[in-house]
Amino acid sequence: MSKIFVLGASGYVGGALADFLAKEGREVVRMGRAGCDIIADLRFPEDIPYDILQRDDFVIVAAAISSPDACKNEFDSCWKVNVTGTGRFIERCIEGGAKVLFLSSDAVYASDPGVVYDEDSDVDPRYPYGKMKAAIERKFISNSAFKALRLSYVFSADDRFTKYLMQCAEKEETVEVFHPYERNCVSLLDVERAISWMLGNWSCFDSGVLNLAGTELVSRALFTTAFSDVLGAGLRYEIIEPPSGFYDSRPSTTCMSSKFLYDLEIVQRGSFREKLAEILEVR
């Protein structure tokens, strides 16, 4: 059986993926900077022990400096990790015969107002984090051993905003939300399902890219209202101004869809409220 190496297994998405795939009975090897089976630091990609890879193993690249503000304010050091180190890591994995599933982002699109982006849309990032993800996609997208999953905002019981809502509900505090700030949020459960599907259908999925996006464009206000309705929390919210420079490193709105995700039944269609309820039921 092929092994599945998860780089970034000590992080939010990578750790959840490693746990999910292990529960499916797959042989998972956790890679990361600490607390993993294999220590792997993308600042020093040549120090990673690539000889453990065998032909037809899978490598999921879930490690990155993902803070848009860090990518803007510390561009050179973030580029070293997100592009230089990540690119060398992927090269070495493919040279060893592995297939690489790269977790990209909706930030690779221009995020122009009123435009819905799908897998055929041009990659034209306007912000540093998106430029870094796009650089990796462009380098490897023509290689059959590489596929990119473009993630919208991934929500779960453990994402930062949902944890903030839970805290406000417990303390009966008013939620403060930025507006506009809208994404086609996708549940962590659907991300896990899509990756499991991709691992089993690699050769029959012709596209090098799959967008992971929910069916609705979700603002923070809508997110709060849905959360309150699902839990019966009676949450109140107020719209506040984001800090100065907030939109200098991220778009206010990115509307992303997928040509494949639902039509191929990789995951099931459902409203944001339904997906949120599913997440909160299993927490």
Side-chain angles (χ1 to χ4, degrees):
M1 178 183 293
S2 299
K3 293 187 181 70
I4 301 171
F5 294 82
V6 181
L7 179 67
S10 57
Y12 161 51
V13 173
L17 287 174
D19 290 344
F20 175 80
L21 294 169
K23 288 177 182 176
E24 283 197 324
R26 301 175 187 266
E27 187 172 356
V28 176
V29 181
R30 299 165 191 264
M31 306 177 74
R33 293 176 62 181
C36 293
D37 302 315
I38 296 171
I39 300 303
D41 188 334
L42 289 174
R43 295 175 299 173
F44 312 105
E46 297 302 339
D47 293 342
I48 298 171
Y50 299 97
D51 58 347
I52 61 175
L53 290 170
Q54 297 182 3
R55 186 162 300 278
D56 295 328
D57 283 342
F58 290 93
V59 178
I60 299 172
V61 181
I65 299 172
S66 58
S67 165
D69 296 318
C71 289
K72 175 179 179 293
N73 299 327
E74 304 163 31
F75 184 86
D76 290 343
S77 60
C78 291
W79 186 275
K80 181 179 179 181
V81 171
N82 289 351
V83 180
T84 306
T86 299
R88 185 56 180 149
F89 174 79
I90 293 172
E91 281 179 342
R92 292 294 303 273
C93 292
I94 291 176
E95 287 169 2
K99 299 180 180 68
V100 175
L101 190 56
F102 174 65
L103 301 196
S104 188
S105 168
D106 60 2
V108 300
Y109 297 118
S111 299
D112 288 328
V115 178
V116 180
Y117 298 91
D118 66 20
E119 289 87 352
D120 287 339
S121 300
D122 290 339
V123 169
D124 183 22
R126 306 290 171 82
Y127 301 90
Y129 177 61
K131 291 179 185 294
M132 295 176 191
K133 290 295 188 181
I136 294 296
E137 287 195 21
R138 287 172 175 142
K139 184 176 179 66
F140 295 104
I141 199 65
S142 62
N143 194 310
S144 62
F146 175 91
K147 294 187 189 296
L149 296 185
R150 294 174 182 155
L151 276 60
S152 184
Y153 183 84
V154 179
F155 68 91
S156 72
D158 294 316
D159 79 86
R160 183 176 299 178
F161 189 66
T162 302
K163 289 170 74 173
Y164 169 60
L165 294 179
M166 290 178 177
Q167 181 183 43
C168 289
E170 290 170 1
K171 296 182 178 180
E172 298 183 348
E173 295 177 344
T174 298
V175 177
E176 296 181 339
V177 298
F178 300 153
H179 190 80
Y181 190 72
E182 302 168 301
R183 301 290 188 271
N184 284 86
C185 301
V186 62
S187 79
L188 181 56
L189 287 173
D190 279 348
V191 172
E192 293 167 346
R193 291 162 179 151
I195 288 177
S196 179
W197 184 92
M198 185 67 77
L199 295 175
N201 294 273
W202 186 282
S203 60
C204 63
F205 183 70
D206 293 333
S207 175
V209 175
L210 175 64
N211 288 354
L212 299 189
T215 58
E216 297 173 52
L217 189 61
V218 179
S219 68
R220 288 296 172 91
L222 190 156
F223 199 127
T224 302
T225 300
F227 176 91
S228 184
D229 289 346
V230 168
L231 290 189
L235 277 173
R236 303 178 304 277
Y237 71 86
E238 62 176 342
I239 294 172
I240 63 170
E241 287 291 322
S244 176
F246 182 77
Y247 294 123
D248 291 345
S249 56
R250 56 177 66 75
S252 60
T253 299
T254 302
C255 190
M256 182 173 73
S257 66
S258 176
K259 295 169 53 184
F260 311 113
L261 189 63
Y262 303 105
D263 288 351
L264 295 182
E265 297 185 344
I266 298 171
V267 302
Q268 298 301 308
R269 291 185 186 275
S271 67
F272 172 72
R273 189 185 186 284
E274 290 169 337
K275 298 291 185 177
L276 183 61
E278 181 186 28
I279 280 285
L280 295 177
E281 285 170 3
V282 300
R283 69 188 171 98

